[in-house]
Amino acid sequence: MAKKVRRTSTIPTQQNQPARDRVTRAEAEARRSRRAQESAAEAYKPSPAWLVPTAVTLLILGILYMVVYYISSAQYPLPIGDWNLAVGIGILLAGGGLLTFWK
């Protein structure tokens, strides 16, 4: 008759770890929580001081550009016809794009 071989797990469990290496579930959660808080604190970087004033300026310039185009009956600011609307909207989009980086 074949002899039965008892297999033991190679993964350490609480029972076969020395007492000094045992970590309670609460301690493990506290360590994970601390690491998450530290990484979140490191990841947060405030917005540069120039970002919001530049974005707001671009938004205002884009609106003013299109208002001047409409008031001047398409003669100003540039003699490019209806492409002035594209320029005004492009300036507005640049300002809006900058605001996406605001924290």
Side-chain angles (χ1 to χ4, degrees):
M1 190 162 182
K3 186 176 181 183
K4 288 187 179 181
V5 178
R6 183 176 177 202
R7 293 185 158 206
T8 59
S9 173
T10 58
I11 300 172
T13 61
Q14 289 287 342
Q15 288 81 20
N16 60 4
Q17 285 182 346
R20 62 181 168 75
D21 291 340
R22 289 186 191 151
V23 177
T24 65
R25 186 172 291 180
E27 290 172 341
E29 284 295 322
R31 287 181 188 172
R32 271 189 236 115
S33 176
R34 262 185 264 131
R35 281 190 213 127
Q37 288 173 353
E38 290 169 0
S39 65
E42 291 172 2
Y44 177 75
K45 295 178 185 173
S47 301
W50 56 268
L51 188 112
V52 174
T54 304
V56 171
T57 302
L58 286 173
L59 291 171
I60 292 170
L61 281 177
I63 292 171
L64 287 177
Y65 191 95
M66 290 192 292
V67 167
V68 168
Y69 172 71
Y70 278 117
I71 290 176
S72 69
S73 300
Q75 293 179 351
Y76 297 106
L78 294 173
I80 56 175
D82 288 338
W83 284 102
N84 280 306
L85 291 175
V87 171
I89 290 171
I91 295 170
L92 283 170
L93 287 174
L98 279 177
L99 286 178
T100 63
F101 296 105
W102 183 26
K103 293 181 184 177

